[in-house]
Amino acid sequence: MDLDPNILHGQQRGTLAAHLGIRYVEVTRERVVAELQIRDELKTAGGRLHGGTIMAFADTLGAVATLVNLPPGAGTTTLESKTNFFAPGRDGTVRGECVPLHRGRRTMVWQTRITDERGRLLAQTIQTQMVLSAP
Amino acid sequence: MDLDPNILHGQQRGTLAAHLGIRYVEVTRERVVAELQIRDELKTAGGRLHGGTIMAFADTLGAVATLVNLPPGAGTTTLESKTNFFAPGRDGTVRGECVPLHRGRRTMVWQTRITDERGRLLAQTIQTQMVLSAP
Amino acid sequence: MDLDPNILHGQQRGTLAAHLGIRYVEVTRERVVAELQIRDELKTAGGRLHGGTIMAFADTLGAVATLVNLPPGAGTTTLESKTNFFAPGRDGTVRGECVPLHRGRRTMVWQTRITDERGRLLAQTIQTQMVLSAP
Amino acid sequence: MDLDPNILHGQQRGTLAAHLGIRYVEVTRERVVAELQIRDELKTAGGRLHGGTIMAFADTLGAVATLVNLPPGAGTTTLESKTNFFAPGRDGTVRGECVPLHRGRRTMVWQTRITDERGRLLAQTIQTQMVLSAP
């Protein structure tokens, strides 16, 4: 099922996703796209976009992508997440695009690429979500 | 060199570390320990401590641990970070303890364990920091 | 349950574990220890112990460690595996020691340290095993 | 520079790559492709292609891909490697295709997809290679 980004923005009010400022652009079973504007409080003391911001951004997208693929009543939790960093982010808006590597009954694996406004790849995250069946 | 946690708190004012609320307890070359109080804006919509919070917390400790081990004039950046999640965090304060697996001239590898107030292991992060020589 | 290493050597005859030359030393629920003698066919063209040998060695230990912890009738498969390399192996015998980070109903997570004869840490692997329930 | 696969087969004689039976199909700066025929000694005791075989196969391709991209006199070593497993391999020939995520002066990051004869994705590996400058 596709999700209206505004519904997600409402559901995530007051959570980390809102605290970081994640704005969803597209939420479908095949792809989740979101944006994040770089602000001081998302940076390191050295003035770069914090790796932790990037990992939290990607983790959020992978969890949302799992949610829209779950059977009714099921839940999800992140089992593991791995990020490689390629280039520093400094200013402007970064974009995260999350696509599936695997969607099974027990686990789903998502790949999220984080790019800057020029399309340069800043980081790539792969994460495994456990599918928690309805009791 | 050991660092007074208050100096770090000052250096990180306005950055992600402060935005999350990281409080350093001990900063030495052999170990960095810090705490983080769970608040709503660090959680998921499901009411658990967000995996992204945990990864950002760990990433910050690994970067600080590298900084206090760097030769004069050198810098660092995270090459990659991998986290396994074991149990959900809900309330209270979590503790991060970061110790070295490897401290070389070109890279340092850090292992951070995140535990809750009862000492239960919530997650473990291993990250590789590149050592950037002074120009 | 503890396992007699010789039973494992018999079960793994003709498989990759034997092809590499893995020799089990201790197989208990809490710890699996094994050794591997470095030979040319386990090396790279550069004369070092191949990273692939190390990862295959660790993967085997984590799978065996899961097997002796499974409930009756259950099976296991590796979901993901991550290795950090610290130092090259050249000659002699390497030792792998695998201990649990997490043993749950759905997944188990194992940490394997590979050391050389002088006790130097060559690599560390963390892997997640899925627990496959009996049908 | 592109490499004749037969030159590689000769250079790797007697090493792990030959012990596993890796056959290179294409070796260029942009892509390394190779095949591996599934045999009993590459399997687990359960009769599946061993995860260790897959990781060793991928690690070899990533190292070769780095070698053909290195400046003269430089060397390389694997810093870290991460594999996600999606489906079991049983019979026939698996194919590995390795492409770059990042090719920098200090590190290169490679992504290798392992597929079976029907094109099904069995596993994906991402590895970081350190570039070791000529002394």
Side-chain angles (χ1 to χ4, degrees), chain C residues 44-46, chain D residues 3-15 17-18 64 67:
Chain C
T44 66
Chain D
L3 252 192
D4 180 342
N6 286 323
I7 291 178
L8 262 182
H9 295 147
Q11 288 173 345
Q12 296 186 342
R13 195 166 297 147
T15 71
V64 165
L67 284 171

mmCIF file with all atom_site columns, all heavy atoms in Angstrom, chain C residues 44-46, chain D residues 3-15 17-18 64 67:
data_model
loop_
_atom_site.group_PDB
_atom_site.id
_atom_site.type_symbol
_atom_site.label_atom_id
_atom_site.label_alt_id
_atom_site.label_comp_id
_atom_site.label_asym_id
_atom_site.label_entity_id
_atom_site.label_seq_id
_atom_site.pdbx_PDB_ins_code
_atom_site.Cartn_x
_atom_site.Cartn_y
_atom_site.Cartn_z
_atom_site.occupancy
_atom_site.B_iso_or_equiv
_atom_site.pdbx_formal_charge
_atom_site.auth_seq_id
_atom_site.auth_comp_id
_atom_site.auth_asym_id
_atom_site.auth_atom_id
_atom_site.pdbx_PDB_model_num
ATOM 1   N N   . THR C 1 44 ? 46.374 -15.785 -0.221  1.00 0.00 ? 44 THR C N   1
ATOM 2   C CA  . THR C 1 44 ? 46.237 -14.965 -1.423  1.00 0.00 ? 44 THR C CA  1
ATOM 3   C C   . THR C 1 44 ? 47.482 -15.160 -2.286  1.00 0.00 ? 44 THR C C   1
ATOM 4   O O   . THR C 1 44 ? 48.471 -15.766 -1.853  1.00 0.00 ? 44 THR C O   1
ATOM 5   C CB  . THR C 1 44 ? 46.153 -13.474 -1.056  1.00 0.00 ? 44 THR C CB  1
ATOM 6   O OG1 . THR C 1 44 ? 47.419 -13.085 -0.479  1.00 0.00 ? 44 THR C OG1 1
ATOM 7   C CG2 . THR C 1 44 ? 45.062 -13.215 -0.030  1.00 0.00 ? 44 THR C CG2 1
ATOM 8   N N   . ALA C 1 45 ? 47.429 -14.580 -3.489  1.00 0.00 ? 45 ALA C N   1
ATOM 9   C CA  . ALA C 1 45 ? 48.611 -14.611 -4.344  1.00 0.00 ? 45 ALA C CA  1
ATOM 10  C C   . ALA C 1 45 ? 49.757 -13.829 -3.701  1.00 0.00 ? 45 ALA C C   1
ATOM 11  O O   . ALA C 1 45 ? 50.919 -14.039 -4.018  1.00 0.00 ? 45 ALA C O   1
ATOM 12  C CB  . ALA C 1 45 ? 48.272 -14.053 -5.719  1.00 0.00 ? 45 ALA C CB  1
ATOM 13  N N   . GLY C 1 46 ? 49.464 -12.939 -2.775  1.00 0.00 ? 46 GLY C N   1
ATOM 14  C CA  . GLY C 1 46 ? 50.483 -12.165 -2.073  1.00 0.00 ? 46 GLY C CA  1
ATOM 15  C C   . GLY C 1 46 ? 51.098 -12.901 -0.889  1.00 0.00 ? 46 GLY C C   1
ATOM 16  O O   . GLY C 1 46 ? 51.952 -12.353 -0.193  1.00 0.00 ? 46 GLY C O   1
ATOM 17  N N   . LEU D 1 3  ? 42.417 -7.073  -17.640 1.00 0.00 ? 3  LEU D N   1
ATOM 18  C CA  . LEU D 1 3  ? 43.308 -8.212  -17.430 1.00 0.00 ? 3  LEU D CA  1
ATOM 19  C C   . LEU D 1 3  ? 42.743 -9.431  -18.148 1.00 0.00 ? 3  LEU D C   1
ATOM 20  O O   . LEU D 1 3  ? 41.544 -9.699  -18.092 1.00 0.00 ? 3  LEU D O   1
ATOM 21  C CB  . LEU D 1 3  ? 43.382 -8.536  -15.939 1.00 0.00 ? 3  LEU D CB  1
ATOM 22  C CG  . LEU D 1 3  ? 44.655 -8.212  -15.186 1.00 0.00 ? 3  LEU D CG  1
ATOM 23  C CD1 . LEU D 1 3  ? 44.622 -8.858  -13.834 1.00 0.00 ? 3  LEU D CD1 1
ATOM 24  C CD2 . LEU D 1 3  ? 45.899 -8.633  -15.941 1.00 0.00 ? 3  LEU D CD2 1
ATOM 25  N N   . ASP D 1 4  ? 43.617 -10.155 -18.788 1.00 0.00 ? 4  ASP D N   1
ATOM 26  C CA  . ASP D 1 4  ? 43.233 -11.436 -19.374 1.00 0.00 ? 4  ASP D CA  1
ATOM 27  C C   . ASP D 1 4  ? 42.957 -12.411 -18.219 1.00 0.00 ? 4  ASP D C   1
ATOM 28  O O   . ASP D 1 4  ? 43.832 -12.638 -17.378 1.00 0.00 ? 4  ASP D O   1
ATOM 29  C CB  . ASP D 1 4  ? 44.401 -11.933 -20.235 1.00 0.00 ? 4  ASP D CB  1
ATOM 30  C CG  . ASP D 1 4  ? 44.109 -13.268 -20.885 1.00 0.00 ? 4  ASP D CG  1
ATOM 31  O OD1 . ASP D 1 4  ? 43.180 -13.976 -20.433 1.00 0.00 ? 4  ASP D OD1 1
ATOM 32  O OD2 . ASP D 1 4  ? 44.828 -13.609 -21.843 1.00 0.00 ? 4  ASP D OD2 1
ATOM 33  N N   . PRO D 1 5  ? 41.761 -12.986 -18.159 1.00 0.00 ? 5  PRO D N   1
ATOM 34  C CA  . PRO D 1 5  ? 41.464 -13.923 -17.074 1.00 0.00 ? 5  PRO D CA  1
ATOM 35  C C   . PRO D 1 5  ? 42.511 -15.023 -16.920 1.00 0.00 ? 5  PRO D C   1
ATOM 36  O O   . PRO D 1 5  ? 42.805 -15.446 -15.798 1.00 0.00 ? 5  PRO D O   1
ATOM 37  C CB  . PRO D 1 5  ? 40.098 -14.492 -17.495 1.00 0.00 ? 5  PRO D CB  1
ATOM 38  C CG  . PRO D 1 5  ? 39.436 -13.369 -18.222 1.00 0.00 ? 5  PRO D CG  1
ATOM 39  C CD  . PRO D 1 5  ? 40.559 -12.696 -18.971 1.00 0.00 ? 5  PRO D CD  1
ATOM 40  N N   . ASN D 1 6  ? 43.089 -15.442 -18.014 1.00 0.00 ? 6  ASN D N   1
ATOM 41  C CA  . ASN D 1 6  ? 44.051 -16.542 -17.906 1.00 0.00 ? 6  ASN D CA  1
ATOM 42  C C   . ASN D 1 6  ? 45.317 -16.140 -17.160 1.00 0.00 ? 6  ASN D C   1
ATOM 43  O O   . ASN D 1 6  ? 45.971 -16.968 -16.532 1.00 0.00 ? 6  ASN D O   1
ATOM 44  C CB  . ASN D 1 6  ? 44.402 -17.077 -19.299 1.00 0.00 ? 6  ASN D CB  1
ATOM 45  C CG  . ASN D 1 6  ? 43.241 -17.884 -19.853 1.00 0.00 ? 6  ASN D CG  1
ATOM 46  O OD1 . ASN D 1 6  ? 42.562 -18.584 -19.103 1.00 0.00 ? 6  ASN D OD1 1
ATOM 47  N ND2 . ASN D 1 6  ? 43.000 -17.756 -21.153 1.00 0.00 ? 6  ASN D ND2 1
ATOM 48  N N   . ILE D 1 7  ? 45.659 -14.862 -17.267 1.00 0.00 ? 7  ILE D N   1
ATOM 49  C CA  . ILE D 1 7  ? 46.818 -14.389 -16.493 1.00 0.00 ? 7  ILE D CA  1
ATOM 50  C C   . ILE D 1 7  ? 46.498 -14.484 -15.004 1.00 0.00 ? 7  ILE D C   1
ATOM 51  O O   . ILE D 1 7  ? 47.308 -14.950 -14.203 1.00 0.00 ? 7  ILE D O   1
ATOM 52  C CB  . ILE D 1 7  ? 47.169 -12.944 -16.913 1.00 0.00 ? 7  ILE D CB  1
ATOM 53  C CG1 . ILE D 1 7  ? 47.719 -12.965 -18.345 1.00 0.00 ? 7  ILE D CG1 1
ATOM 54  C CG2 . ILE D 1 7  ? 48.170 -12.323 -15.951 1.00 0.00 ? 7  ILE D CG2 1
ATOM 55  C CD1 . ILE D 1 7  ? 48.062 -11.591 -18.889 1.00 0.00 ? 7  ILE D CD1 1
ATOM 56  N N   . LEU D 1 8  ? 45.293 -14.095 -14.637 1.00 0.00 ? 8  LEU D N   1
ATOM 57  C CA  . LEU D 1 8  ? 44.882 -14.209 -13.234 1.00 0.00 ? 8  LEU D CA  1
ATOM 58  C C   . LEU D 1 8  ? 44.866 -15.668 -12.773 1.00 0.00 ? 8  LEU D C   1
ATOM 59  O O   . LEU D 1 8  ? 45.313 -15.991 -11.671 1.00 0.00 ? 8  LEU D O   1
ATOM 60  C CB  . LEU D 1 8  ? 43.491 -13.625 -13.048 1.00 0.00 ? 8  LEU D CB  1
ATOM 61  C CG  . LEU D 1 8  ? 43.398 -12.212 -12.523 1.00 0.00 ? 8  LEU D CG  1
ATOM 62  C CD1 . LEU D 1 8  ? 41.946 -11.827 -12.364 1.00 0.00 ? 8  LEU D CD1 1
ATOM 63  C CD2 . LEU D 1 8  ? 44.118 -12.082 -11.170 1.00 0.00 ? 8  LEU D CD2 1
ATOM 64  N N   . HIS D 1 9  ? 44.321 -16.520 -13.610 1.00 0.00 ? 9  HIS D N   1
ATOM 65  C CA  . HIS D 1 9  ? 44.293 -17.946 -13.239 1.00 0.00 ? 9  HIS D CA  1
ATOM 66  C C   . HIS D 1 9  ? 45.710 -18.453 -12.960 1.00 0.00 ? 9  HIS D C   1
ATOM 67  O O   . HIS D 1 9  ? 45.934 -19.232 -12.036 1.00 0.00 ? 9  HIS D O   1
ATOM 68  C CB  . HIS D 1 9  ? 43.623 -18.775 -14.344 1.00 0.00 ? 9  HIS D CB  1
ATOM 69  C CG  . HIS D 1 9  ? 42.174 -18.447 -14.532 1.00 0.00 ? 9  HIS D CG  1
ATOM 70  N ND1 . HIS D 1 9  ? 41.543 -18.511 -15.754 1.00 0.00 ? 9  HIS D ND1 1
ATOM 71  C CD2 . HIS D 1 9  ? 41.227 -18.027 -13.663 1.00 0.00 ? 9  HIS D CD2 1
ATOM 72  C CE1 . HIS D 1 9  ? 40.269 -18.161 -15.616 1.00 0.00 ? 9  HIS D CE1 1
ATOM 73  N NE2 . HIS D 1 9  ? 40.057 -17.847 -14.360 1.00 0.00 ? 9  HIS D NE2 1
ATOM 74  N N   . GLY D 1 10 ? 46.658 -17.976 -13.762 1.00 0.00 ? 10 GLY D N   1
ATOM 75  C CA  . GLY D 1 10 ? 48.041 -18.381 -13.539 1.00 0.00 ? 10 GLY D CA  1
ATOM 76  C C   . GLY D 1 10 ? 48.608 -17.805 -12.252 1.00 0.00 ? 10 GLY D C   1
ATOM 77  O O   . GLY D 1 10 ? 49.233 -18.516 -11.452 1.00 0.00 ? 10 GLY D O   1
ATOM 78  N N   . GLN D 1 11 ? 48.339 -16.516 -12.001 1.00 0.00 ? 11 GLN D N   1
ATOM 79  C CA  . GLN D 1 11 ? 48.879 -15.871 -10.787 1.00 0.00 ? 11 GLN D CA  1
ATOM 80  C C   . GLN D 1 11 ? 48.310 -16.483 -9.520  1.00 0.00 ? 11 GLN D C   1
ATOM 81  O O   . GLN D 1 11 ? 48.943 -16.460 -8.470  1.00 0.00 ? 11 GLN D O   1
ATOM 82  C CB  . GLN D 1 11 ? 48.538 -14.367 -10.797 1.00 0.00 ? 11 GLN D CB  1
ATOM 83  C CG  . GLN D 1 11 ? 49.328 -13.558 -11.808 1.00 0.00 ? 11 GLN D CG  1
ATOM 84  C CD  . GLN D 1 11 ? 48.834 -12.123 -11.891 1.00 0.00 ? 11 GLN D CD  1
ATOM 85  O OE1 . GLN D 1 11 ? 47.749 -11.806 -11.418 1.00 0.00 ? 11 GLN D OE1 1
ATOM 86  N NE2 . GLN D 1 11 ? 49.635 -11.245 -12.493 1.00 0.00 ? 11 GLN D NE2 1
ATOM 87  N N   . GLN D 1 12 ? 47.075 -16.994 -9.613  1.00 0.00 ? 12 GLN D N   1
ATOM 88  C CA  . GLN D 1 12 ? 46.412 -17.494 -8.407  1.00 0.00 ? 12 GLN D CA  1
ATOM 89  C C   . GLN D 1 12 ? 46.544 -19.008 -8.254  1.00 0.00 ? 12 GLN D C   1
ATOM 90  O O   . GLN D 1 12 ? 45.920 -19.582 -7.354  1.00 0.00 ? 12 GLN D O   1
ATOM 91  C CB  . GLN D 1 12 ? 44.943 -17.058 -8.427  1.00 0.00 ? 12 GLN D CB  1
ATOM 92  C CG  . GLN D 1 12 ? 44.807 -15.535 -8.368  1.00 0.00 ? 12 GLN D CG  1
ATOM 93  C CD  . GLN D 1 12 ? 43.379 -15.060 -8.243  1.00 0.00 ? 12 GLN D CD  1
ATOM 94  O OE1 . GLN D 1 12 ? 42.439 -15.791 -8.518  1.00 0.00 ? 12 GLN D OE1 1
ATOM 95  N NE2 . GLN D 1 12 ? 43.204 -13.821 -7.811  1.00 0.00 ? 12 GLN D NE2 1
ATOM 96  N N   . ARG D 1 13 ? 47.349 -19.621 -9.100  1.00 0.00 ? 13 ARG D N   1
ATOM 97  C CA  . ARG D 1 13 ? 47.535 -21.067 -8.989  1.00 0.00 ? 13 ARG D CA  1
ATOM 98  C C   . ARG D 1 13 ? 48.062 -21.418 -7.585  1.00 0.00 ? 13 ARG D C   1
ATOM 99  O O   . ARG D 1 13 ? 48.969 -20.765 -7.079  1.00 0.00 ? 13 ARG D O   1
ATOM 100 C CB  . ARG D 1 13 ? 48.532 -21.538 -10.046 1.00 0.00 ? 13 ARG D CB  1
ATOM 101 C CG  . ARG D 1 13 ? 48.522 -23.046 -10.241 1.00 0.00 ? 13 ARG D CG  1
ATOM 102 C CD  . ARG D 1 13 ? 49.262 -23.414 -11.506 1.00 0.00 ? 13 ARG D CD  1
ATOM 103 N NE  . ARG D 1 13 ? 48.625 -22.857 -12.697 1.00 0.00 ? 13 ARG D NE  1
ATOM 104 C CZ  . ARG D 1 13 ? 49.274 -22.446 -13.798 1.00 0.00 ? 13 ARG D CZ  1
ATOM 105 N NH1 . ARG D 1 13 ? 50.590 -22.514 -13.846 1.00 0.00 ? 13 ARG D NH1 1
ATOM 106 N NH2 . ARG D 1 13 ? 48.605 -21.953 -14.822 1.00 0.00 ? 13 ARG D NH2 1
ATOM 107 N N   . GLY D 1 14 ? 47.443 -22.396 -6.963  1.00 0.00 ? 14 GLY D N   1
ATOM 108 C CA  . GLY D 1 14 ? 47.914 -22.846 -5.656  1.00 0.00 ? 14 GLY D CA  1
ATOM 109 C C   . GLY D 1 14 ? 47.385 -22.022 -4.498  1.00 0.00 ? 14 GLY D C   1
ATOM 110 O O   . GLY D 1 14 ? 47.672 -22.315 -3.346  1.00 0.00 ? 14 GLY D O   1
ATOM 111 N N   . THR D 1 15 ? 46.611 -20.959 -4.784  1.00 0.00 ? 15 THR D N   1
ATOM 112 C CA  . THR D 1 15 ? 46.061 -20.128 -3.703  1.00 0.00 ? 15 THR D CA  1
ATOM 113 C C   . THR D 1 15 ? 44.598 -20.496 -3.448  1.00 0.00 ? 15 THR D C   1
ATOM 114 O O   . THR D 1 15 ? 44.036 -21.371 -4.111  1.00 0.00 ? 15 THR D O   1
ATOM 115 C CB  . THR D 1 15 ? 46.136 -18.628 -4.069  1.00 0.00 ? 15 THR D CB  1
ATOM 116 O OG1 . THR D 1 15 ? 45.171 -18.367 -5.093  1.00 0.00 ? 15 THR D OG1 1
ATOM 117 C CG2 . THR D 1 15 ? 47.528 -18.247 -4.560  1.00 0.00 ? 15 THR D CG2 1
ATOM 118 N N   . ALA D 1 17 ? 41.898 -18.948 -4.218  1.00 0.00 ? 17 ALA D N   1
ATOM 119 C CA  . ALA D 1 17 ? 41.032 -18.753 -5.388  1.00 0.00 ? 17 ALA D CA  1
ATOM 120 C C   . ALA D 1 17 ? 40.991 -20.027 -6.240  1.00 0.00 ? 17 ALA D C   1
ATOM 121 O O   . ALA D 1 17 ? 39.923 -20.432 -6.722  1.00 0.00 ? 17 ALA D O   1
ATOM 122 C CB  . ALA D 1 17 ? 41.526 -17.565 -6.210  1.00 0.00 ? 17 ALA D CB  1
ATOM 123 N N   . ALA D 1 18 ? 42.141 -20.660 -6.413  1.00 0.00 ? 18 ALA D N   1
ATOM 124 C CA  . ALA D 1 18 ? 42.186 -21.895 -7.195  1.00 0.00 ? 18 ALA D CA  1
ATOM 125 C C   . ALA D 1 18 ? 41.609 -23.061 -6.395  1.00 0.00 ? 18 ALA D C   1
ATOM 126 O O   . ALA D 1 18 ? 40.942 -23.941 -6.950  1.00 0.00 ? 18 ALA D O   1
ATOM 127 C CB  . ALA D 1 18 ? 43.627 -22.194 -7.600  1.00 0.00 ? 18 ALA D CB  1
ATOM 128 N N   . VAL D 1 64 ? 40.697 -8.338  -6.495  1.00 0.00 ? 64 VAL D N   1
ATOM 129 C CA  . VAL D 1 64 ? 41.133 -8.249  -7.893  1.00 0.00 ? 64 VAL D CA  1
ATOM 130 C C   . VAL D 1 64 ? 40.677 -6.921  -8.501  1.00 0.00 ? 64 VAL D C   1
ATOM 131 O O   . VAL D 1 64 ? 41.439 -6.248  -9.205  1.00 0.00 ? 64 VAL D O   1
ATOM 132 C CB  . VAL D 1 64 ? 40.580 -9.444  -8.703  1.00 0.00 ? 64 VAL D CB  1
ATOM 133 C CG1 . VAL D 1 64 ? 40.690 -9.193  -10.207 1.00 0.00 ? 64 VAL D CG1 1
ATOM 134 C CG2 . VAL D 1 64 ? 41.325 -10.723 -8.325  1.00 0.00 ? 64 VAL D CG2 1
ATOM 135 N N   . LEU D 1 67 ? 42.979 -4.295  -7.371  1.00 0.00 ? 67 LEU D N   1
ATOM 136 C CA  . LEU D 1 67 ? 44.309 -4.418  -7.991  1.00 0.00 ? 67 LEU D CA  1
ATOM 137 C C   . LEU D 1 67 ? 44.357 -3.751  -9.363  1.00 0.00 ? 67 LEU D C   1
ATOM 138 O O   . LEU D 1 67 ? 45.325 -3.051  -9.681  1.00 0.00 ? 67 LEU D O   1
ATOM 139 C CB  . LEU D 1 67 ? 44.697 -5.895  -8.120  1.00 0.00 ? 67 LEU D CB  1
ATOM 140 C CG  . LEU D 1 67 ? 45.129 -6.556  -6.804  1.00 0.00 ? 67 LEU D CG  1
ATOM 141 C CD1 . LEU D 1 67 ? 45.272 -8.062  -6.980  1.00 0.00 ? 67 LEU D CD1 1
ATOM 142 C CD2 . LEU D 1 67 ? 46.440 -5.934  -6.292  1.00 0.00 ? 67 LEU D CD2 1
#
